[in-house]
Amino acid sequence: FYGHPIRNISLVTNGFLYTGTLLHKSLTDTQYIAPLMANFDPNVNPESMVRYRDNGTTFTAEWTKIRLRDDQEAGPFTFQVTLSTDGTIVFAYKQIPFPVSRIDDSMLPAKVGVSDAYTVGTRFLP
């Protein structure tokens, strides 16, 4: 990931993969791969699934029939991300019921993309 090998990926129900090693409250600001990060809640729709498959050369995560927590009447979203050992990242979208720009991001930013930002613990002296 950005030239660094990674061994662990956290599959997050909010539509992204977290590639960092330190779990913190700012996961959505740092190392992520987001086919569609938003305030999704798999508990809203009993047909929702978040699943993955790893065949040794590709890792695919899929969010199926997942709905937004803050807009449960909106249709379900279905999308994937595939990571290959050669560094290729592919986003695939099967069902996006309305433009991403219309997603309410007041509780969680709606994002599509890749981030390699880092947080550094700093102590400031008075």
Side-chain angles (χ1 to χ4, degrees):
F1 187 63
Y2 281 94
H4 303 282
I6 55 173
R7 298 181 57 82
N8 297 305
I9 293 175
S10 298
L11 176 55
V12 183
T13 57
N14 294 104
F16 68 100
L17 304 175
Y18 176 65
T19 61
T21 56
L22 177 65
L23 295 178
H24 52 83
K25 65 180 179 178
S26 300
L27 292 183
T28 60
D29 295 331
T30 60
Q31 301 156 281
Y32 63 78
I33 301 169
L36 181 52
M37 180 190 303
N39 198 19
F40 292 114
D41 184 351
N43 295 315
V44 171
N45 180 5
E47 295 180 352
S48 291
M49 290 187 285
V50 179
R51 56 190 174 177
Y52 71 92
R53 181 179 178 146
D54 184 350
N55 70 11
T57 58
T58 60
F59 172 89
T60 300
E62 180 177 275
W63 293 262
T64 303
K65 297 183 181 178
I66 197 159
R67 291 184 183 264
L68 293 164
R69 178 177 295 146
D70 303 321
D71 190 359
Q72 297 178 12
E73 297 304 313
F77 292 74
T78 299
F79 53 92
Q80 296 179 332
V81 60
T82 298
L83 312 177
S84 299
T85 54
D86 68 0
T88 302
I89 300 172
V90 176
F91 295 161
Y93 304 92
K94 182 177 181 182
Q95 188 175 17
I96 306 296
F98 56 85
V100 173
S101 61
R102 288 191 29 221
I103 295 175
D104 177 10
D105 63 358
S106 59
M107 296 303 289
L108 180 73
K111 300 179 186 179
V112 173
V114 179
S115 174
D116 190 29
Y118 288 85
T119 58
V120 178
T122 304
R123 181 175 176 185
F124 294 98
L125 299 174

